[in-house]
Amino acid sequence: MTAAVVTGLGITAPNGLGTEEFWKATLAGESGLGPVTRFDASQYPSRIAGEVTGYVAEDHIPSRLMPQTDHMTRLALTAADWALKDAGIDTDELPQYGIGVVTAASGGAVEFGQRELQNLWSKGKEYVSAYQSFAWFYAVNTGQISIRHKLRGPSGVLLTEQAGGIDAIGHARRHIRKGFPAVIAGGVDAAICPWGWVPQIASGLMSTVDDPTRAYLPFAAEAGGYVPGEGGAILLVEEAGSAAARGAGHVYGEIAGYAATLDPAPGSGRPPGLRRAAENALADAGITPEDIDVVFADASGVPDLDRAESQALTELFGPAGVPVTAPKTMTGRLLAGGAALDAATALLALRDGVIPPTAHVTTPAPEHTIDLVTEAREADLRTALVLARGHGGFNAALVVRRTT
């Protein structure tokens, strides 16, 4: 079977812009969580977020694109540029129909859409930008990346909320196996504005704690919800033979296994689908639970959901059977960008032989019989399992494997 490998990473995260800056901060346990600054959240019950700071769009985005792009899309374009540069790929030298783009989305560019709707309501239709016709659209990141780099290969967008980043990478591997040399894949999201904030509050899953160090504590006794964030990761997924033929500078690892499931209807009496997704991803990779060296958890921060995940991990690996980490405690849950960032983080962990910490959590609650990594831990890592769940019952699992 054709192997799909990752040769480029582009990361825009609340605790670091660029792969190495993000990775250094993550290993040091440096958090990007803090009070919301992108809008006045003082009247809302939830007021903490993971915001991407220090990003100046004009330094990365051509002036002609500024009026037609949302903050989310600018971050995605920047991450895609970085991933291509990291991979050493010049898209002008490859067949224009040979590279595809698959990204994940949670709902589109809501900040852009909110601004234009406010113009419509307060000023009139003549004040609404013509770019509103597509700038808000959930497929806009895929479209803008493909247009910017003249990529006409198979493209798409996956809408499975916080599971989407893994689903996009899994879909990219399908294209690689069909014979396409490379696919840009992953997810970048940004919804820190009232329009993006209120639906998350309505879910009842968000934390209402105002202390950034105590607001998001997955698997802890004090867990009380999640903190949203913005950003994510774009990966360059490439056919292994193609990467070798062009002399790729480095390979972060192989996309060895992937699976997705959907939870059964509430009240059905059937178990959640996360464990089944993990088992199917392991089977897809041709390995057993004993082969996994570390798990990057979904880490909801919601007690019932944390309990379901730790139970699935205990059933699959045994009590404290494998190190488990949740570095997203330093970024918040990034909607469609979160799982892609976890996949990128897992590849960096394999590269350097170190498991990043779960920040702010000193020890898991007794009900969670997992080996939660709370300080950076050196280890001989070859294979990692990345888990993600999206609101609405989506589950996704990804196995990444070191190739050297």
Side-chain angles (χ1 to χ4, degrees):
M1 186 73 72
T2 301
V5 297
V6 177
T7 56
L9 296 177
I11 293 174
T12 56
N15 63 338
L17 279 171
T19 297
E20 297 308 325
E21 182 179 326
F22 160 78
W23 184 229
K24 180 180 178 181
T26 298
L27 292 182
E30 296 176 3
S31 175
L33 304 187
V36 172
T37 65
R38 293 188 62 80
F39 70 98
D40 181 5
S42 61
Q43 301 302 308
Y44 294 92
S46 299
R47 295 178 285 272
I48 302 297
E51 297 181 343
V52 175
T53 59
Y55 177 76
V56 180
E58 290 79 3
D59 293 343
H60 305 280
I61 305 299
S63 57
R64 63 180 176 80
L65 288 180
M66 291 296 291
Q68 59 179 279
T69 52
D70 178 83
H71 177 59
M72 174 192 79
T73 301
R74 295 167 188 168
L75 291 174
L77 284 167
T78 301
D81 289 349
W82 288 344
L84 286 166
K85 182 178 180 181
D86 185 38
I89 283 185
D90 183 350
T91 55
D92 291 335
E93 296 178 357
L94 294 174
Q96 62 177 326
Y97 292 96
I99 301 181
V101 182
V102 182
T103 67
S106 63
V110 293
E111 189 174 15
F112 191 106
Q114 176 178 314
R115 185 188 67 233
E116 298 307 318
L117 286 175
Q118 286 175 325
N119 287 341
L120 174 64
W121 297 333
S122 63
K123 299 178 182 179
K125 62 182 185 298
E126 62 271 22
Y127 290 90
V128 177
S129 169
Y131 296 124
Q132 168 68 0
S133 60
F134 64 82
W136 69 272
F137 192 41
Y138 57 81
V140 66
N141 288 356
T142 289
Q144 289 285 17
I145 291 169
S146 62
I147 292 169
R148 177 169 171 78
H149 296 285
K150 301 180 177 63
L151 306 177
R152 300 184 180 182
S155 297
V157 58
L158 281 299
L159 285 88
T160 50
E161 215 248 348
Q162 301 195 46
I166 285 179
D167 289 330
I169 295 168
H171 200 62
R173 188 182 66 156
R174 291 193 186 103
H175 289 313
I176 296 296
R177 288 180 167 179
K178 291 178 181 178
F180 295 94
V183 179
I184 294 172
V188 175
D189 215 333
I192 303 179
C193 65
W195 197 5
W197 204 249
V198 171
Q200 295 186 75
I201 290 175
S203 73
L205 305 178
M206 279 178 64
S207 171
T208 57
V209 176
D210 284 336
D211 181 351
T213 68
R214 310 308 297 163
Y216 179 32
L217 300 171
F219 304 114
E222 307 92 332
Y226 76 91
V227 168
E230 62 183 6
I234 297 294
L235 291 66
L236 197 290
V237 183
E238 193 168 359
E239 193 274 319
S242 174
R246 70 175 183 82
H250 49 245
V251 172
Y252 289 98
E254 178 190 357
I255 307 301
Y258 161 72
T261 62
L262 189 65
D263 286 341
S268 67
R270 297 164 57 199
L274 184 63
R275 177 182 172 181
R276 184 160 51 90
E279 290 173 333
N280 290 349
L282 295 179
D284 185 42
I287 61 175
T288 66
E290 290 73 23
D291 296 312
I292 294 296
D293 300 309
V294 61
V295 173
F296 284 72
D298 174 67
S300 169
V302 177
D304 288 348
L305 294 175
D306 283 351
R307 193 175 301 115
E309 182 171 24
S310 66
Q311 180 180 342
L313 292 173
T314 300
E315 291 171 351
L316 188 58
F317 297 102
V322 64
V324 177
T325 188
K328 58 168 62 76
T329 49
M330 291 171 264
T331 65
R333 292 178 67 83
L334 310 185
L335 299 177
L341 183 59
D342 271 352
T345 309
L347 289 166
L348 293 169
L350 298 183
R351 182 193 69 179
D352 293 348
V354 59
I355 303 172
T358 304
H360 307 142
V361 180
T362 56
T363 185
E367 63 180 321
H368 302 300
T369 54
I370 57 175
D371 176 16
L372 188 67
V373 178
T374 57
E375 295 183 0
R377 181 189 300 180
E378 293 186 0
D380 181 16
L381 304 176
R382 180 165 182 80
T383 308
L385 173 66
V386 185
L387 300 177
R389 291 174 293 184
H391 188 59
F394 300 105
N395 305 286
L398 190 75
V399 175
V400 293
R401 181 163 53 206
R402 199 176 73 217
T403 57
T404 57

